[in-house]
Amino acid sequence: MQNAKTDVFVVGGGPAGLVAAMAARKKGFTVMLADGAEPPIDKPCGEGLMPETLAALRELDIAPDSGEGHEFRGIQFIQKGKRFAADFPEGYGMGLRRPILHAMLVAKAEKSGVRLLWKTPVSGITPEGVQLKSGLVPARWIVGADGGGSRVRRWSGLDELAQRTQRFATRRHYRVQPWSEYMEIHWAKGAQAYVTPIGREEVCVVVMAERLQDADFAKVLAELPELRERLNGAELASRERGAVTVMYRLKNVARGNVALVGDASGGVDAITGEGLRLAFRQSLALAAAMEANDLQGYEEAHRELAQRPMRMGKLMLLLGRNDALRQKSFGALASKPQLFEKLLAVHVGRATPAQMVRTGVQLGWRFLSA
Ligand SMILES: Cc1cc2nc3c(=O)[nH]c(=O)nc-3n(C[C@H](O)[C@H](O)[C@H](O)COP(=O)(O)OP(=O)(O)OC[C@H]3O[C@@H](n4cnc5c(N)ncnc54)[C@H](O)[C@@H]3O)c2cc1C
C-alpha cells in the first residue's frame, strides 16, 4: 500500500461515497475508496428513492430493477381520516431495501474500476493524501463521504455550521403486502410515520419526532388507528433501529483539495425523502468540478442543490410542530387536490419559481415563495 497512489481518494463507502467514486471514474480519474465497515452496509433509512433520485443514478447507467424493490406513483398524506394524494409529475419512485441498494452500488463501482478497500478505516488526512493503518496513500483529491459524524469534515476544518436542527427516528420492516401505490405520510400530534412499499410482501415504516420519547412505535401507532390496523399482526422483518435525522448546512463544503459529499456535507430531514438524491447529485457535480480543477464550482452547485429540499424540510417541520397551521393547510389541500399536485411538483423540482410562488400564496405559506 505504501507506494500506491490515486487521483481521487474517497473516504466512506455508503451511497454517497460509492456514487462519488463512480462519477470520478467516469471522468477518467483513478479512484480508491476506503470504508471501515464491510458490505452490504445497512443503515436506518426510509428506503424511498424519488423519481429524481433514480434519474441521478441513471446518469451513471445504474437502474435498479423493479423486481428488487417496489415502485410507487406519488405521495399520500393522511391525518385523522383525511387523505390526499398526488402522483409524481413524471416517472415513479421506488422503495428499495438499503442493503440491496448498497450491494448494487458496490457491484457497479467495482465494475467501473474503483479500487475498494473494506474494513479499512481512514485515520487522518494530510495535504498529500490519506492515512491508513498500512501507511499514507498519496491522492490529488480527497472526498469526505464519511456520513453525518464525518471526521474528514473536522480534519479539514470544514465543520463550521450555518444552521442545524435534529429529530429522532425509529425504523421497522413489516412483512405485509403493500396496500397503497403511494408512499404514505401519516401525521400524528408531534410525530409522523412514513410508509414505503419495498417489496411484494414488505413495507418499511419510519416514525419521526422532535423528542426521543415520541419517536416510539407504540406511542405513535396509538394515535394512528388506520396504520395500526394495517400493521396489526404483521411479522417484523428486521430488528428495530433508531437514528437521528439531522438537517444542517455548512458554511463551506470544500477546502484545498478536500470536498465533502452526502451526509458529511449537510443534511435534510428524513421526511423529505431527499437525502439520497442530494448525495447523488452532489457526487455528479463534484466529479465535474474536479475535472475542471475548480472546487469553487462545487461549492456553488452544492449550495444550489440544497436550497429546495432545505425549504421543503423546514416546511414539513413547521407543519409537524404547528397543529393549527397543519389543520388549516390540510383542510385547503384536501378540498383542492390539484394544490397537492402542485406542492409535490415543487418538492421534486418540477415547478417554475412563478408556480412555486402561486402555490405558496394559495396555501397562505408566504415562506414558500420567500
Ligand atoms: C431515519 C432516516 C430515514 C431516511 N429516509 C430516506 C429516504 O427515504 N430517502 C432518502 O433519499 N434518504 C433518506 N434518508 C437519508 C439517507 O439515508 C442519507 O442521506 C444517506 O444514507 C447518506 O449516505 P452517505 O453515504 O452520505 O452516508 P452513510 O450512509 O452514513 O455512509 C458513510 C460511510 O462512511 C463510513 N465511514 C465513516 N467514517 C469512516 C472512516 N474514518 N474511514 C472509513 N470509512 C468511514 C461508514 O462506515 C459509512 O459506510 C433517511 C435518513 C434517516 C436517518
Side-chain angles (χ1 to χ4, degrees):
M1 180 60 61
Q2 217 85 28
N3 298 324
K5 66 173 186 184
T6 183
D7 295 329
V8 180
F9 198 109
V10 181
V11 184
L18 288 163
V19 170
M22 282 185 265
R25 274 295 300 137
K26 206 170 177 191
K27 296 289 184 193
F29 292 114
T30 55
V31 185
M32 223 181 254
L33 175 153
D35 196 295
E38 208 181 2
I41 302 175
D42 196 3
K43 196 194 149 177
C45 182
E47 302 178 329
L49 307 180
M50 300 294 148
E52 300 298 316
T53 314
L54 294 167
L57 284 178
R58 275 196 298 274
E59 286 188 27
L60 290 167
D61 306 317
I62 301 169
D65 190 321
S66 59
E68 293 169 314
H70 201 277
E71 291 175 4
F72 53 92
R73 58 193 283 186
I75 307 284
Q76 175 151 252
F77 278 12
I78 300 166
Q79 180 183 248
K80 285 192 186 148
K82 267 203 195 91
R83 58 178 61 238
F84 37 94
D87 289 5
F88 294 118
E90 213 175 285
Y92 56 86
M94 188 185 284
L96 192 63
R97 266 294 273 267
R98 182 71 175 227
I100 298 179
L101 171 70
H102 194 257
M104 187 182 78
L105 294 177
V106 169
K108 293 279 182 186
E110 214 155 37
K111 206 166 158 209
S112 78
V114 178
R115 179 147 178 226
L116 298 164
L117 310 170
W118 302 108
K119 293 209 256 182
T120 309
V122 170
S123 56
I125 57 172
T126 72
E128 287 72 43
V130 166
Q131 193 64 50
L132 304 181
K133 205 169 163 199
S134 54
L136 185 89
V137 181
R140 163 79 183 92
W141 304 103
I142 299 170
V143 178
D146 49 344
S150 173
R151 291 168 79 197
V152 174
R153 188 173 63 220
R154 186 155 41 84
W155 293 330
S156 55
L158 285 166
D159 49 0
E160 205 181 334
L161 283 171
Q163 49 177 276
R164 183 184 192 279
T165 54
Q166 71 169 35
R167 299 205 301 158
F168 298 92
T170 311
R171 179 213 70 183
R172 281 185 182 177
H173 293 109
Y174 286 91
R175 226 179 280 291
V176 61
Q177 203 173 9
W179 55 85
S180 172
E181 292 176 279
Y182 294 92
M183 185 184 202
E184 292 182 344
I185 303 187
H186 296 254
W187 297 77
K189 200 170 160 53
Q192 299 86 45
Y194 77 87
V195 184
T196 317
I198 55 168
R200 271 197 304 185
E201 291 291 334
E202 201 165 347
V203 298
C204 173
V205 186
V206 174
V207 297
M208 285 166 295
E210 295 201 15
R211 300 187 314 170
L212 177 60
Q213 63 269 36
D214 294 335
D216 174 79
F217 263 84
K219 207 168 166 180
V220 176
L221 290 180
E223 266 197 71
L224 301 171
E226 184 179 329
L227 182 58
R228 192 176 63 231
E229 191 58 34
R230 295 275 187 201
L231 300 175
N232 191 19
E235 193 190 325
L236 284 183
S238 68
R239 188 168 60 84
E240 176 178 299
R241 286 186 63 181
V244 176
T245 167
V246 184
M247 186 143 83
Y248 80 101
R249 194 159 62 77
L250 294 171
K251 287 227 160 101
N252 294 96
V253 293
R255 175 167 297 165
N257 64 342
V258 182
L260 305 174
V261 289
D263 282 6
S265 71
V268 288
D269 191 88
I271 200 170
T272 62
E274 285 271 276
L276 292 168
R277 183 188 70 84
L278 266 179
F280 299 159
R281 283 279 161 221
Q282 289 159 1
S283 298
L284 292 164
L286 176 58
M290 289 189 296
E291 186 185 37
N293 201 11
D294 170 29
L295 286 193
Q296 187 52 39
Y298 176 59
E299 280 282 359
E300 284 152 25
H302 190 282
R303 199 167 305 126
E304 198 170 325
L305 282 169
Q307 260 172 16
R308 176 170 47 79
M310 270 282 184
R311 186 178 290 175
M312 293 309 281
K314 284 185 195 161
L315 167 62
M316 294 295 149
L317 293 197
L318 185 66
L319 288 176
R321 222 177 271 143
N322 189 326
D323 291 341
L325 178 70
R326 191 169 68 249
Q327 304 301 349
K328 191 166 159 251
S329 306
F330 285 9
L333 288 167
S335 65
K336 288 191 195 138
Q338 40 338 337
L339 216 48
F340 193 52
E341 267 167 38
K342 286 182 191 159
L343 191 62
L344 187 57
V346 170
H347 183 57
V348 299
R350 289 302 176 101
T352 62
Q355 287 165 332
M356 205 152 133
V357 171
R358 269 202 303 280
T359 309
V361 168
Q362 281 176 287
L363 282 161
W365 296 344
R366 260 170 292 138
F367 48 87
L368 199 62
S369 42

